[in-house]
């Protein structure tokens, strides 16, 4: 065993045996290094570190190898740039051009943006990646084609598993495969701010509501990566959440080509009913075309999600359809430029908290106005329930503002 506390500014240790020095077989070695000045140590040892990220200076690493030089199993751990990298597998031709197989890789970092920029300095950061990442996969390669199996990843509070094939043999990287997720927190992945106040549209006295509340970011949306990747992945999840919206068991295909992302016919359960969603996103200029058809959904849960309020108490199922388009360089600009239509249609609706019959009775009574008003306040607006045979509503969405153009309750 060999241990050096300070050699060229580094702490080093090594131990193990090589049973056959001539054939370099029977290897069982472990090594360790810790340095605060990697470049200085590399220069002293005449080691080429030019392919490492230039920002790497502090480093702590351990490695163990067993077998023979042309067929060596290894396991390593590297801590640098605030994160850690674990790698294990088999390596051939160690002294010439190393070839890896059965590689298992795990990356942990408190900020996904910083982790990516460490290996790709030109990467433009995204709000969606300002959160912790934990990624594991088994990797096998053939040329510049990589098969990632047994993927286990966590980005913020969202979990993913699956298998991917990555072909980097051409100018445009091609990615295909299947990804399954647990709970996907969509607002976190989209980089929307955590709002301290109301985070959804709230009705105003003019019968309209604004979608551009303080939660939306003015930071430019960067989708340039869509221009350099072709993606064809099947996606499924247990839950897809956005604030009070909760889509259960969503499944769809995600396709990205030539800077255009398409999500076609995403099926999911929502508020006790079913939804079908279609979305097209363009990278340059950033734009979105979104449509959704929801059927058999609970009116009270829908109203709560739309208004971010639990004031409405109601029973009944409705259909709710949305078709919007928008363009904008930031989240705020995109939401503020949404235009389209929305419709709601339901039957056998019951609204709790007021009694329309008592209201009519109070207004038609021959009692004095003051007595009538007191009766109205104590009875019609406290408890009670009013049922309607049908509900029909239509809304125009202009520049991110929802305008109630029609709302008919009949019954």
């Amino acid at each position: 065993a060999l241990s050096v506390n300070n050699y060229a500014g580094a702490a080093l240790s090594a131990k193990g045996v090589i049973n056959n020095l001539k054939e370099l077989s029977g290897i069982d070695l472990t090594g360790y290094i810790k340095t605060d000045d990697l470049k200085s140590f590399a220069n002293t040892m005449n080691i080429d570190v030019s392919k490492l990220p230039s920002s790497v200076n502090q480093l702590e690493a351990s490695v163990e190898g067993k077998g023979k030089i042309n067929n060596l199993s290894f396991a390593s751990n590297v801590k640098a740039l605030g994160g850690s990298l674990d790698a294990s597998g088999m390596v051939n031709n160690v002294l010439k051009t190393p070839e890896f197989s059965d590689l298992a890789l795990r990356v942990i970092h408190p900020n996904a943006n910083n982790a990516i920029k460490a290996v790709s300095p030109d990467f433009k950061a995204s709000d969606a990646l300002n959160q912790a990442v934990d990624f594991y996969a088994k990797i096998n390669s053939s040329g510049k084609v990589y098969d990632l199996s047994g993927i286990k990843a966590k980005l913020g509070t969202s979990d993913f598993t699956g298998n991917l094939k990555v072909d980097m043999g051409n100018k445009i990287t091609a990615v295909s495969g299947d990804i399954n997720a647990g709970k996907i927190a969509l607002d976190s992945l989209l980089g929307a701010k955590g709002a301290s106040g109301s985070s959804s549209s709230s009705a105003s006295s003019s019968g309209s509501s604004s979608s551009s509340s303080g939660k939306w970011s003015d930071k430019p949306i960067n989708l340039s990566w869509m221009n350099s990747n072709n993606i064809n992945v099947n996606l499924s999840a247990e839950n897809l959440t956005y604030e009070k919206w909760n889509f259960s068991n969503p499944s769809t295909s995600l396709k990205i080509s030539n800077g255009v992302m398409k999500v076609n016919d995403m099926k999911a359960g929502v508020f006790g009913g079913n939804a079908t969603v279609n979305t097209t996103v363009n990278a340059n200029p950033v734009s979105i075309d979104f449509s959704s058809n929801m059927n058999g959904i609970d009116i009270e849960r829908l109203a709560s999600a739309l208004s971010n309020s639990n004031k409405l108490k109601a029973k009944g199922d409705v259909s709710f359809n949305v078709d919007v388009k928008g363009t904008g360089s930031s989240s705020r600009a995109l939401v503020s430029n949404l235009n389209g239509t929305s419709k709601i249609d339901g039957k056998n609706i019951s609204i709790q908290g007021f009694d329309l019959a008592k209201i009519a009775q109070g207004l038609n009574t021959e009692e004095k106005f003051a007595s009538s008003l007191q009766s109205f306040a104590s009875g019609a607006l406290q408890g009670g329930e009013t049922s309607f045979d049908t509900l029909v509503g239509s809304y125009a969405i202009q520049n991110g503002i929802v305008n109630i153009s029609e709302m008919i309750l009949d019954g």
Side-chain angles (χ1 to χ4, degrees):
L2 174 67
S3 178
V4 180
N5 287 328
N6 189 350
Y7 182 79
L12 304 167
S13 67
K15 65 179 181 178
V17 296
I18 302 176
N19 291 324
N20 189 325
L21 286 173
K22 183 178 179 179
E23 296 182 0
L24 292 178
S25 62
I27 297 171
D28 188 352
L29 296 174
T30 62
Y32 171 85
I33 179 175
K34 182 177 182 180
T35 178
D36 291 331
D37 193 345
L38 178 62
K39 294 179 178 64
S40 177
F41 173 79
N43 288 334
T44 301
M45 299 295 294
N46 197 27
I47 299 174
D48 182 10
V49 293
S50 61
K51 293 184 179 180
L52 292 177
S54 59
S55 54
V56 175
N57 207 26
Q58 292 183 329
L59 178 139
E60 182 179 5
S62 61
V63 62
E64 64 177 38
K66 295 180 179 182
K68 55 185 179 180
I69 199 65
N70 288 325
N71 189 24
L72 193 68
S73 69
F74 74 95
S76 63
N77 171 265
V78 178
K79 294 182 175 68
L81 300 174
S84 67
L85 169 67
D86 290 289
S88 62
M90 300 295 298
V91 57
N92 299 322
N93 301 321
V94 175
L95 300 180
K96 296 180 181 179
T97 304
E99 297 177 356
F100 296 93
S101 61
D102 296 324
L103 181 65
L105 192 71
R106 184 179 185 185
V107 177
I108 301 176
H109 201 282
N111 187 287
N113 274 320
N114 294 340
I116 297 172
K117 288 179 74 67
V119 296
S120 181
D122 295 331
F123 174 75
K124 295 181 179 179
S126 166
D127 282 347
L129 298 178
N130 277 329
Q131 48 193 327
V133 61
D134 185 344
F135 178 88
Y136 169 87
K138 293 181 178 179
I139 304 173
N140 282 290
S141 62
S142 177
K144 292 186 177 182
V145 179
Y146 302 88
D147 286 306
L148 283 67
S149 61
I151 293 173
K152 296 179 181 178
K154 188 178 184 69
L155 179 61
T157 59
S158 301
D159 299 289
F160 306 89
T161 61
N163 305 287
L164 292 174
K165 180 178 181 180
V166 182
D167 186 348
M168 303 179 69
N170 300 303
K171 184 178 180 180
I172 302 296
T173 299
V175 181
S176 60
D178 300 278
I179 292 293
N180 304 308
K183 178 181 177 180
I184 300 178
L186 190 60
D187 40 2
S188 176
L189 291 181
L190 291 175
K193 296 178 182 176
S196 58
S198 175
S199 56
S200 292
S201 305
S202 57
S204 69
S205 59
S206 60
S208 63
S209 59
S210 173
S211 298
S212 53
S213 65
K215 66 174 182 169
W216 300 109
S217 172
D218 290 314
K219 188 173 181 178
I221 298 173
N222 174 34
L223 298 179
S224 59
W225 60 271
M226 288 170 49
N227 296 310
S228 56
N229 294 274
N230 286 337
I231 298 177
N232 188 354
V233 176
N234 296 316
L235 300 174
S236 61
E238 292 180 10
N239 293 96
L240 178 65
T241 63
Y242 186 89
E243 295 178 348
K244 290 192 175 184
W245 294 88
N246 188 336
F247 294 90
S248 60
N249 299 312
S251 62
T252 188
S253 62
L254 171 68
K255 296 182 179 181
I256 298 176
S257 180
N258 299 319
V260 179
M261 176 193 298
K262 291 189 176 182
V263 176
N264 293 324
D265 292 328
M266 185 189 87
K267 307 291 185 182
V270 59
F271 302 149
N274 298 292
T276 300
V277 176
N278 289 279
T279 304
T280 299
V281 177
N282 286 276
N284 188 25
V286 177
S287 66
I288 186 171
D289 186 339
F290 174 89
S291 65
S292 175
N293 297 319
M294 306 180 192
N295 296 293
I297 61 177
D298 182 80
I299 186 173
E300 183 175 318
R301 293 162 69 185
L302 173 65
S304 176
L306 290 173
S307 65
N308 198 35
S309 168
N310 296 318
K311 292 182 179 180
L312 177 66
K313 302 298 180 182
K315 298 177 182 178
D317 296 335
V318 297
S319 297
F320 182 65
N321 301 324
V322 180
D323 190 350
V324 293
K325 299 178 181 180
T327 301
S329 59
S330 68
S331 298
R332 184 187 299 277
L334 185 61
V335 171
S336 298
N337 285 291
L338 287 176
N339 294 281
T341 59
S342 177
K343 295 182 179 180
I344 188 170
D345 183 13
K347 295 181 179 180
N348 301 320
I349 304 300
S350 177
I351 300 179
Q352 300 171 317
F354 79 99
D355 191 327
L356 188 59
K358 283 188 176 181
I359 293 176
Q361 181 180 3
L363 294 177
N364 289 327
T365 183
E366 293 181 357
E367 297 178 10
K368 293 182 179 179
F369 177 76
S371 299
S372 177
L373 185 60
Q374 182 180 10
S375 175
F376 176 87
S378 62
L381 294 181
Q382 296 182 17
E385 182 175 292
T386 301
S387 298
F388 300 93
D389 294 331
T390 60
L391 164 66
V392 177
S394 60
Y395 315 89
I397 303 169
Q398 296 178 326
N399 297 324
I401 297 176
V402 180
N403 297 286
I404 302 175
S405 53
E406 181 183 53
M407 177 67 76
I408 300 175
L409 289 161
D410 191 5

